[in-house]
Amino acid sequence: MIVKLINYTPKPIETAFTAARTCYSSEGPASIWSRAKGDSEPAITRDRMHSLLDRVIASGHMSVLEHINFTFSIEGCSRACSHQLVRHRIASYSQQSQRYVKLKERNFVIPPTIRGNDEARAIFEKFLDSAKLAYEKLVELGIPKEDARFVLPNATMTNLVMTMNFRELYTVCQVRLCTRAQWEIRELFVKVKAEIKKIPELSGLADYLQPKCIILGYCPEEKSCGLMPSKSEVIGEGK
Amino acid sequence: MIVKLINYTPKPIETAFTAARTCYSSEGPASIWSRAKGDSEPAITRDRMHSLLDRVIASGHMSVLEHINFTFSIEGCSRACSHQLVRHRIASYSQQSQRYVKLKERNFVIPPTIRGNDEARAIFEKFLDSAKLAYEKLVELGIPKEDARFVLPNATMTNLVMTMNFRELYTVCQVRLCTRAQWEIRELFVKVKAEIKKIPELSGLADYLQPKCIILGYCPEEKSCGLMPSKSEVIGEGK
Amino acid sequence: MIVKLINYTPKPIETAFTAARTCYSSEGPASIWSRAKGDSEPAITRDRMHSLLDRVIASGHMSVLEHINFTFSIEGCSRACSHQLVRHRIASYSQQSQRYVKLKERNFVIPPTIRGNDEARAIFEKFLDSAKLAYEKLVELGIPKEDARFVLPNATMTNLVMTMNFRELYTVCQVRLCTRAQWEIRELFVKVKAEIKKIPELSGLADYLQPKCIILGYCPEEKSCGLMPSKSEVIGEGK
Amino acid sequence: MIVKLINYTPKPIETAFTAARTCYSSEGPASIWSRAKGDSEPAITRDRMHSLLDRVIASGHMSVLEHINFTFSIEGCSRACSHQLVRHRIASYSQQSQRYVKLKERNFVIPPTIRGNDEARAIFEKFLDSAKLAYEKLVELGIPKEDARFVLPNATMTNLVMTMNFRELYTVCQVRLCTRAQWEIRELFVKVKAEIKKIPELSGLADYLQPKCIILGYCPEEKSCGLMPSKSEVIGEGK
């Protein structure tokens, strides 16, 4: 799977700062925005902007993060994974259609547990060959692609464009960066975070993206993976 | 595919009427509600309620329809179809997980184009056997169900519970009842409408669920299926 | 402010159980639903349903709660409060319109801090008289109601019908039941919870509605009100 | 009211094209994006991109428009208008809080019907003075700002930052650009459209923003304003 951040809200820190500041100030947003960008005086320092964002996130005033959007190219994720992904409803997806696009070569995801087991891998690859063959034959027989695709397995690769705002990304990462998340969707959001981290002006935002245990201060799952102590150890008994 | 309406907002017409009337009246909603149910005087007649709903829908004041919710049991739809279905984001879905539930017998949807073509059907059924066999063998080898499911094809049946409000259902049916919609999701919403139509107190609501051409007065697609004339015939040239 | 639960999803525990069970079972939802209602054998006990819901909520699998909807009549809340309320976007609102409905007598909310201060109260009530008078005069001069309403203050009462699902209610109550929430919207959700608590079959659900400190095990605000210890006391330093 | 487009998705046409093309192509989105920007060969022409968007919008495949976001500074709109505005739930708002920000001078919107009527205007302005005075006195008496604001009228100005995606903007403009929309929110969206129109790379997108009659080919309201013929004239009798 290849994940690339292809587009994002320019000047994201300035944008979120302008939104947050508008709530608590008599100054209009256009003027705050101008000072945040350093286009008018007194300019607002990056330190001050980051410090407001820190407080905003700590206090749970998350809606100001919605003004920052990220658009990702996601290539080669399995249809199993894309079916999970699009269940996150506060985001926009444009996905390669199996109704219109014909299957090409080498278009399958092999799970690590299967890749690492010779016998399983042989079964899997033989099966993939039979799936491709069945698909080709059905298309040759004149079955429409939208029906021939019924033989395509969950392993089939798909491509998506996904736009998600930073508030939702913050929420989704709490669940999907958890070591207990299903491996492929976890890999997807690990890569999403890495893409954001790579860009200097976004790097500070990437640091907010954490599994829920880091944000809560404890692991709320029945068994902790060990990264953080479990809730009962920290809070004690009771709910 | 078996679709059953298992639950819905009681007294739906009274609920939507109370919501609509609240917008235009100094009377409080609890009192309107009581009169709509006939529990206090002067009771509101069903004719008056239906007539207000007619005007509300004709004028596009659709938000009052959101107070009516329907919960459906959907059994035996393909994973191809469920992947399409959950792209309608303004609804709630609880879907059978292939990560936790092991595949059983006879769990596949066969598209009509394949069912009606002996050669295609033979290929399809042989393929399904090989998919089942590969799945069984992977599970036997100790591959976790969440990875073994990578061989399961789009044809694999799934179950869902879906709750959708009437405004969204009205919008979705405009697209999915169109004869150009993909056959399985169209079948799903044809059955959804039939389930609503069966219940006497809901029957009037079912009649609002129509493909978009009926609502618009013309077919906006490039080629009409013939049910309604195309937009260019009705409106003339231009956008 | 008078809040009344006027309608809700029948058999809500059975509905959420059916949704949750569908995810982890090969049994179809229609059959689970039938057994949950006790209409077929083996019937599912209420204890088993509550115990599954407990686990589902503890583990954060909140989406199954979306299938339960509540519809409230809210009368006599201020326009200040309704403006806050409708910012919760995952809900449906039908609100009395000031564009179409003419202001009547005694239609104002007086905040407790003003009610309890004779001087402030005198100023407030004199002001309300002048607002009513200005409104009446503007309407008499032929100014449309939608423009005359520009003199109506935040204190003006409004009515709403609100439908919110149980997942969103669970989320909103975490913020609005906090003692630091603005008093009127807190009063609204205290009454919402009390309405749910009154109905025997919903009483167990009401108990899940808690301010966030009860759910987290600590107060995440800068200063705790004392109900729970602050995060830094429980978790220690660091984020 | 002053509306300024302060930020937007860079290369919006390229972004929407990449999303749309991904659905119908075996080419990955990163590669489409690169060719759309002209960074790799064969570059995609602007004509081809616009022509795909035209078809996408004509056919109702609106979701690809969600990847384009706009952020506006809105200054000096009335609280009456902001209460209407935030009812559009598929958008992000950060609004100046009357709980935290103290009222300043000259902060009121005067409706044109009142501005143009000397007697009404005198009543209105005298009333505004009394509102300001009451507010000042309450604050002096130690009433918290969050309660003193109960005297502030709907005419009070507010500031917002609003981020809305292009699909939602397209939908909202159909309702709010209609000559029958309430004058202030119509003015807001007329200015929103003008701001988009001003920027050369967005100008083509602005042209899609139209009242619903232009999009439908007829006026669906009971009485047409004359811009387009009414539905019954175009479609004939029946629903």
Side-chain angles (χ1 to χ4, degrees), chain B residues 55 57-59 63 66 87 89-90 167 207-208 214-218 220-222 231 234-235 239, chain D residues 55 57-59 63 66 87 89-90 167 207-208 214-218 220-222 231 234-235 239:
Chain B
R55 265 177 298 137
I57 291 174
S59 71
S63 62
E66 297 176 17
R87 296 300 312 279
R89 285 161 291 181
I90 305 180
R167 180 191 194 167
D207 296 337
Y208 291 118
I214 302 292
I215 286 163
L216 291 172
Y218 54 73
E221 300 286 335
E222 282 185 48
K231 184 176 182 184
V234 171
I235 308 289
K239 202 168 173 183
Chain D
R55 264 177 300 137
I57 290 174
S59 70
S63 62
E66 297 175 18
R87 295 300 312 281
R89 285 161 290 181
I90 306 180
R167 179 191 194 167
D207 295 337
Y208 292 117
I214 301 292
I215 287 164
L216 291 173
Y218 55 72
E221 300 286 337
E222 282 185 45
K231 183 175 181 184
V234 171
I235 307 290
K239 201 162 169 184

Side-chain angles (χ1 to χ4, degrees), chain A residues 79 96-104 131 134-153 156, chain B residues 78 80 84 111 113-114 124 154-155 182-184, chain D residues 23-26:
Chain A
R79 292 274 300 186
Q96 186 186 34
S97 170
Q98 293 185 329
R99 292 180 66 192
Y100 302 116
V101 181
K102 196 159 166 285
L103 181 72
K104 293 255 179 88
Y135 180 80
E136 300 288 348
K137 280 191 198 156
L138 291 170
V139 171
E140 269 167 39
L141 283 169
I143 301 298
K145 283 195 294 288
E146 74 171 33
D147 290 339
R149 73 173 162 150
F150 273 65
V151 301
L152 297 180
T156 310
Chain B
S78 77
Q84 275 182 283
T113 56
I114 291 175
F124 195 73
N154 283 327
Q182 190 265 347
W183 64 269
E184 194 181 9
Chain D
C23 301
Y24 302 112
S25 170
S26 58

Side-chain angles (χ1 to χ4, degrees), chain B residues 30, chain C residues 2-7 71-75 195 198:
Chain C
I2 300 170
V3 175
K4 283 198 182 135
L5 176 60
I6 60 174
N7 210 352
T71 301
F72 296 92
S73 161
I74 302 168
E75 297 183 13
E195 280 292 296
K198 271 201 284 196

Side-chain angles (χ1 to χ4, degrees), chain A:
Chain A
M1 177 164 38
I2 300 170
V3 175
K4 283 198 181 137
L5 175 60
I6 61 174
N7 210 351
Y8 59 91
T9 305
K11 300 198 177 293
I13 307 292
E14 291 83 346
T15 303
F17 176 84
T18 300
R21 184 79 193 130
T22 292
C23 301
Y24 302 112
S25 170
S26 58
E27 187 180 358
S31 163
I32 299 169
W33 171 244
S34 175
R35 296 199 298 117
K37 290 188 302 174
D39 292 348
S40 61
E41 292 297 328
I44 296 160
T45 63
R46 288 195 79 75
D47 273 1
R48 189 170 155 216
M49 289 192 270
H50 273 291
S51 139
L52 180 61
L53 278 193
D54 276 344
R55 264 177 300 137
V56 147
I57 291 174
S59 71
H61 182 190
M62 311 307 284
S63 62
V64 301
L65 305 181
E66 297 175 17
H67 300 285
I68 305 174
N69 276 279
F70 300 96
T71 300
F72 296 92
S73 161
I74 301 169
E75 297 182 13
C77 105
S78 76
R79 292 274 300 186
C81 183
S82 72
H83 202 332
Q84 277 181 281
L85 176 64
V86 301
R87 295 300 312 279
H88 294 292
R89 285 161 291 181
I90 306 179
S92 301
Y93 307 94
S94 297
Q95 181 171 5
Q96 186 186 34
S97 170
Q98 293 185 329
R99 292 180 66 192
Y100 302 116
V101 181
K102 196 159 166 285
L103 181 72
K104 293 255 179 88
E105 291 296 305
R106 291 169 52 82
N107 276 331
F108 300 101
V109 172
I110 307 183
T113 55
I114 292 175
R115 190 186 295 277
N117 176 324
D118 286 347
E119 203 175 343
R121 183 170 185 150
I123 292 164
F124 195 75
E125 293 188 335
K126 194 177 146 212
F127 165 76
L128 294 182
D129 287 341
S130 75
K132 264 194 274 195
L133 200 67
Y135 180 80
E136 300 288 348
K137 280 191 198 156
L138 291 170
V139 171
E140 269 167 39
L141 283 169
I143 301 298
K145 283 195 294 288
E146 74 171 33
D147 290 339
R149 73 173 162 150
F150 273 65
V151 301
L152 297 180
N154 283 327
T156 310
M157 284 182 175
T158 188
N159 298 328
L160 300 103
V161 173
M162 171 178 86
T163 297
M164 194 178 268
N165 73 45
F166 189 59
R167 181 192 194 167
E168 185 63 8
L169 202 50
Y170 178 84
T171 302
V172 170
C173 280
Q174 291 188 43
V175 178
R176 299 304 189 180
L177 293 182
C178 171
T179 56
R180 283 194 41 181
Q182 189 265 347
W183 63 270
E184 194 180 8
I185 201 162
R186 181 164 188 266
E187 179 186 325
L188 197 163
F189 283 99
V190 165
K191 288 177 172 175
V192 156
K193 178 175 172 176
E195 279 293 295
I196 298 176
K197 185 77 189 165
K198 271 200 286 195
I199 313 242
E201 78 169 322
L202 303 180
S203 177
L205 291 176
D207 296 337
Y208 290 119
L209 302 175
Q210 298 289 351
K212 56 187 175 305
C213 61
I214 302 292
I215 286 163
L216 291 172
Y218 55 72
C219 168
E221 299 287 336
E222 283 184 46
K223 281 181 196 163
S224 167
C225 71
L227 180 56
M228 294 291 281
S230 71
K231 184 176 181 184
S232 60
E233 285 176 78
V234 171
I235 307 290
E237 289 311 303
K239 202 163 169 183

